[in-house]
Amino acid sequence: MDLAQQLREVVLRHGGAGLGICDADPFHDVRRTMHERIGEGSHAALTFTFTDPDVATDVRRSFPWAARLVVTAWSYLPEAGSPG
């Protein structure tokens, strides 16, 4: 069993809904969309993310050594259960 599968099993065992792993490459399409939403005024004043889309969409700006992103999902409603 590889490390990704081991991590996934730990997350699920402890109530997580899922786990994904991807490269730490910049999210260029998300950055473009964020700039569009700022220009349209449709970002709902979400300043935490929208203050600097260039930083928010490129983890290597904060962590230049990053190679992968490990993302876990947790339900806001744990009693609802995990979706298959």
Side-chain angles (χ1 to χ4, degrees):
M1 178 182 318
D2 67 357
L3 180 58
Q5 185 59 35
Q6 290 176 28
L7 288 170
R8 188 171 289 107
E9 287 184 8
V10 168
V11 167
L12 295 175
R13 183 172 43 247
H14 291 281
L19 176 134
I21 300 173
C22 66
D23 290 333
D25 297 333
F27 295 97
H28 297 294
D29 54 338
V30 175
R31 180 182 302 156
R32 190 170 32 259
T33 300
M34 289 175 73
H35 282 293
E36 289 171 4
R37 288 185 180 172
I38 290 170
E40 298 166 352
S42 62
H43 62 289
L46 297 172
T47 56
F48 177 76
T49 303
F50 283 88
T51 297
D52 193 340
D54 297 331
V55 171
T57 58
D58 186 355
V59 72
R60 288 191 183 127
R61 295 241 185 155
S62 299
F63 304 98
W65 43 263
R68 305 267 187 284
L69 301 177
V70 178
V71 182
T72 61
W74 298 84
S75 174
Y76 284 101
L77 302 171
E79 65 277 2
S82 179

